[in-house]
Amino acid sequence: MLIPLTPDDPLELGEFRLAGRLGEGSQGVVYLAHDRMGRPVAVKLLSSGDPETRARLARELSAMESVASFCTAAVLSASAEGRRPYVVSEYIEGPSLHERVRDRGPLSGGELERLFVGTATALAAIHAAGVVHRDFKPSNVLLGPDGPRVVDFGIARAEGTSTMTSGLVGTPAYLSPEQIGGSAASFASDVFAWAATMVFAASARAPFGADTVPAVLHRVLHAEPDLSVLPPRLRDVVAAALAKDPSVRPTARTLMVALVDPQAGPVSPAPLFRGGSAPASPGPGDTDPGRAAMTTRGGGRRGRRTLVVGSALAVAALAADAVGVVNLPGLRPGQDERPTPTSSTGSVTAPPSTKSPTATATATATSAASASSSPAGELKIPAAFAGRWSGHTTTTNPMDPDGAENTVEIRAGAASASWTEKDAQVDCEEEIRLTKVEKSKLTFALTQDSGCVAGTIELTLGDGVLRYLWRDVPGLGLVEQSGDLRRS
């Protein structure tokens, strides 16, 4: 249903005249609009115009350019200029899978098989472009007149990052076990979410329930869903894709082939993928398949602290969403999981130019970002911070009362530092990257490349003590870990 424009809504964005609201989420408002020829389009006006949002928009558009247009809502144009960026995308006329099942019940027979093949093919095309969807679910599958389209990739989800930038984006029943454990979204987690969505299509029920968030997350981690409603051939494919261990799930391409060729044999495991698009073979110290993002490097012990951090963040984020504090992209006011009939990057118009939408957005985002911060290569650590600093830190996460021992080795003139964190069951280390230098404070980025939980580390120097603060940023900023470090 089209919602009338509010007094605060613009009447036009570029050459597009707005006709009404299609939905509103945490990323912005999606409008139905018409171009100068009267053709319908979907326009997403982003809620923020800060340099980080503009840079994310440019990255998302760049990634979307390489995704086959048949499988999603094509981006038509974009504008990163003005107070708030916007994106224009193809308007897909048709219900979401969630709406279709809600209104008419589960799919079966040829209709169900067409959905399986169409969505698996779309996901294979998305992955072939190196893009991780991160939020595959029934409301993000639109049933257009020419077949299913997978939408809502999420402008705010930068390539290779985690949580709302982190692996906690998603609806509980469609999160993979490794995401609940703190790992970033990956091709394998997309496959898990695809399979869970197909179970919903065939049964009208979320495969792991839809009651309380803790109960659903527990079932995702430990229970096997009832697949008896599926025909045997589809059941085997879905069972393989719902494997708890991401390293044994098939790729989307393998799923597609198995669905269209009954003689293809059983689906085979996929290579292990971790955030972004590059395959990674597990090596010494890497994250073990299905474990928490931070694990013991040498002995292979389970990273309990990171698991509870990831789980607590997931519960907090999803619980907040349930009461409206965090709205999933594309939800319509007063409705549950109502989709926006547009791509996740519902884009907007660029001024007349020979450049592509991505080129225009990239250029604007780049100039905005460069104006607000110095290039990373110019940052150097002042000599006053140099040394090996160690101490005990505690967290605001109630599921981890013990805290940890943290050590940071800082080198004068360097652009990074060596970071370690240990407790009775966890041993994680990484070279953290310097992102900001102030008179008495250094800011570092802790990535998930080594299997550690991503976040921002701030080190403030005063009276011979280095005040340590870790926050899950980028992310929701729900958990902090802090303490005093001293030279050792």
Side-chain angles (χ1 to χ4, degrees):
M1 182 182 70
L2 191 64
I3 302 169
L5 296 174
T6 71
D8 295 330
D9 288 327
L11 297 177
E12 293 182 345
L13 287 170
E15 65 174 282
F16 300 96
R17 186 166 185 82
L18 306 186
R21 288 183 168 216
L22 291 170
E24 182 175 9
S26 60
Q27 295 177 12
V29 181
V30 181
Y31 300 97
L32 173 64
H34 296 88
D35 65 13
R36 291 171 180 169
M37 302 296 292
R39 291 170 297 199
V41 295
V43 177
K44 174 172 279 187
L45 179 63
L46 302 187
S47 55
S48 173
D50 59 87
E52 183 180 4
T53 298
R54 295 175 191 273
R56 287 171 176 170
L57 171 61
R59 285 195 298 269
E60 184 71 16
L61 293 175
S62 178
M64 289 297 295
E65 274 194 340
S66 58
V67 175
S69 59
F70 73 86
C71 65
T72 186
V75 174
L76 303 177
S77 61
S79 174
E81 300 176 353
R83 188 171 61 90
R84 292 166 62 185
Y86 62 91
V87 186
V88 178
S89 68
E90 177 185 10
Y91 174 70
I92 306 299
E93 187 171 0
S96 72
L97 176 60
H98 179 268
E99 290 175 318
R100 159 64 180 80
V101 172
R102 181 198 63 200
D103 296 341
R104 297 170 52 194
L107 284 65
S108 61
E111 187 180 20
L112 181 63
E113 292 207 16
R114 284 190 292 274
L115 177 73
F116 265 69
V117 173
T119 52
T121 302
L123 191 58
I126 292 165
H127 288 179
V131 176
V132 178
H133 186 284
R134 294 178 171 85
D135 196 16
F136 198 109
K137 61 183 179 181
S139 61
N140 285 340
V141 176
L142 300 184
L143 304 179
D146 56 354
R149 306 282 192 101
V150 178
V151 300
D152 221 352
F153 293 64
I155 291 172
R157 296 165 221 159
E159 182 75 15
T161 60
S162 51
T163 328
M164 245 14 135
T165 67
S166 191
L168 301 176
V169 170
T171 303
Y174 304 97
L175 284 174
S176 66
E178 65 272 16
Q179 286 176 282
I180 295 171
S183 292
S186 66
F187 293 161
S189 63
D190 277 355
V191 166
F192 186 94
W194 170 86
T197 298
M198 294 303 100
V199 174
F200 170 83
S203 65
R205 297 188 303 273
F208 298 99
D211 45 349
T212 66
V213 170
V216 171
L217 296 180
H218 183 271
R219 293 188 200 105
V220 171
L221 289 170
H222 304 294
E224 298 298 332
D226 180 7
L227 305 182
S228 59
V229 69
L230 295 170
R233 187 168 70 86
L234 299 182
R235 188 185 311 150
D236 292 343
V237 172
V238 168
L242 287 176
K244 304 298 185 189
D245 183 342
S247 70
V248 302
R249 292 179 206 141
T251 63
R253 180 183 178 86
T254 301
L255 292 172
M256 176 186 68
V257 172
L259 290 168
V260 300
D261 181 7
Q263 306 304 318
V267 290
S268 57
L272 180 63
F273 287 90
R274 293 184 301 183
S277 59
S281 299
D286 284 351
T287 302
D288 219 1
R291 292 190 176 183
M294 184 164 68
T295 60
T296 304
R297 286 188 163 275
R301 293 171 293 171
R302 186 176 182 86
R304 178 191 61 81
R305 180 184 166 276
T306 298
L307 177 60
V308 295
V309 168
S311 299
L313 283 170
V315 172
L318 295 167
D321 181 66
V323 296
V325 177
V326 179
N327 294 315
L328 290 176
L331 296 192
R332 299 176 185 173
Q335 297 176 340
D336 294 329
E337 277 203 10
R338 295 298 295 269
T340 53
T342 177
S343 72
S344 77
T345 57
S347 320
V348 185
T349 191
S353 170
T354 56
K355 295 181 180 179
S356 68
T358 302
T360 304
T362 302
T364 307
T366 302
S367 61
S370 62
S372 64
S373 61
S374 301
E378 297 180 4
L379 299 178
K380 294 183 179 180
I381 296 174
F385 289 87
R388 186 176 189 273
W389 301 81
S390 302
H392 184 76
T393 59
T394 57
T395 176
T396 57
N397 174 16
M399 299 176 70
D400 182 26
D402 299 332
E405 299 299 322
N406 285 94
T407 300
V408 184
E409 294 189 24
I410 302 176
R411 303 172 295 276
S416 63
S418 299
W419 169 91
T420 62
E421 180 165 303
K422 300 180 180 181
D423 68 11
Q425 296 178 324
V426 171
D427 185 349
C428 190
E429 62 184 72
E430 183 175 323
E431 192 73 9
I432 54 178
R433 177 175 56 85
L434 184 64
T435 60
K436 189 175 183 180
V437 177
E438 299 174 72
K439 183 177 180 181
S440 59
K441 183 168 73 174
L442 303 178
T443 304
F444 295 86
L446 173 62
T447 70
Q448 206 168 29
D449 293 344
S450 67
C452 307
V453 174
T456 298
I457 295 175
E458 296 177 358
L459 302 176
T460 304
L461 184 62
D463 297 326
V465 172
L466 196 63
R467 182 65 179 171
Y468 176 97
L469 174 64
W470 172 90
R471 296 179 295 132
D472 62 307
V473 175
L476 297 179
L478 297 174
V479 175
E480 294 183 355
Q481 182 155 334
S482 61
D484 291 339
L485 309 185
R486 290 176 169 78
R487 280 193 176 96
S488 55

